[in-house]
Amino acid sequence: VDLFDEGDAILVVAELPGVQEGDIRVEVKDDVLSLSTVGDRKYAKEILLSSLVDPATMKTTYRNGVLEAQLSKQQAGSR
């Protein structure tokens, strides 16, 4: 799992070979992203993000066994 701070957003990249897209679960609470899979290949990981993010802005893509989740950082004073 790789974490990239892109200024106003955070990008999380995870390699999940052999996992079906429908078996992937991604949740965000405060500054923690929880990544898990169900099905034949089970996987679970909690990732501490470098700042608070807005969960409503999460965009995910899954191609060729690589999951990318991009989240906008929360603006100062919002919560």
Side-chain angles (χ1 to χ4, degrees):
V1 176
D2 293 311
L3 179 69
F4 300 96
D5 188 329
E6 299 188 323
D8 61 348
I10 301 225
L11 176 64
V12 178
V13 179
E15 293 181 17
L16 300 169
V19 175
Q20 299 297 316
E21 185 172 7
D23 292 343
I24 299 170
R25 307 288 182 260
V26 182
E27 298 176 4
V28 177
K29 183 171 181 182
D30 297 325
D31 61 349
V32 176
L33 182 137
S34 299
L35 172 63
S36 61
T37 62
V38 296
D40 293 338
R41 294 185 176 246
K42 301 221 185 305
Y43 178 84
K45 183 155 184 106
E46 287 190 341
I47 301 138
L48 181 62
L49 304 174
S50 57
S51 66
L52 292 174
V53 295
D54 181 358
T57 65
M58 182 166 55
K59 296 177 189 164
T60 60
T61 58
Y62 184 67
R63 273 185 240 122
N64 299 322
V66 178
L67 174 75
E68 292 186 4
Q70 185 172 23
L71 301 113
S72 296
K73 291 182 182 177
Q74 271 190 1
Q75 301 300 317
S78 67
R79 182 133 198 209

